[in-house]
Amino acid sequence: DLSSHTIKVFLTNTAPQGTDDELIDISQIAYTNITGGAAPTVTKQYTEASGTGTFAADAVVITATGSVPTFQYYGLYNDTSTGDKLICYWNHGSAVTLANGETFTITFGADATMGTVFTLA
């Protein structure tokens, strides 16, 4: 349920596979040195009109509070669902390493505020 469930971001340095469908299938980095000490929660909205659903989300800013393990892939998962079902992921294209105080921003769609992640028809 994209409208009421909690959606979070995962970070990994290993490419997710097409058969991966739950968070346990992903080798996540340690979130110890990220603000909040856990996978970031996404501020999102899901709307539906004329049989088409649109999932949108605000940009997620990841701030290092120490050295953060390298990651290249990030994605979304449903933290409320049984098994923490994976929703989608992206390849940044190169490794990301954050030192203390550095930030990495994930922007969905063209906007930092409620950018469209995907539509379902």
Side-chain angles (χ1 to χ4, degrees), residues 17-26 82-87:
Q17 303 299 306
T19 55
D20 296 340
D21 66 347
E22 295 184 343
L23 190 60
I24 196 168
D25 298 328
I26 303 295
T82 301
D84 295 334
K85 298 296 185 191
L86 300 180
I87 298 171

Side-chain angles (χ1 to χ4, degrees), residues 19-108:
T19 55
D20 296 340
D21 66 347
E22 295 184 343
L23 190 60
I24 196 168
D25 298 328
I26 303 295
S27 299
Q28 297 181 82
I29 67 164
Y31 298 104
T32 308
N33 290 333
I34 291 176
T35 299
T41 300
V42 175
T43 300
K44 46 76 180 172
Q45 70 180 22
Y46 180 77
T47 57
E48 211 172 302
S50 302
T52 299
T54 301
F55 182 74
D58 284 348
V60 174
V61 179
I62 297 162
T63 303
T65 58
S67 180
V68 173
T70 300
F71 62 93
Q72 181 172 331
Y73 307 89
Y74 51 88
L76 301 176
Y77 70 95
N78 184 336
D79 191 46
T80 308
S81 68
T82 301
D84 295 334
K85 298 296 185 191
L86 300 180
I87 298 171
C88 56
Y89 76 93
W90 295 267
N91 179 346
H92 180 65
S94 61
V96 176
T97 303
L98 300 176
N100 188 30
E102 292 183 325
T103 62
F104 179 78
T105 303
I106 300 170
T107 303
F108 304 102

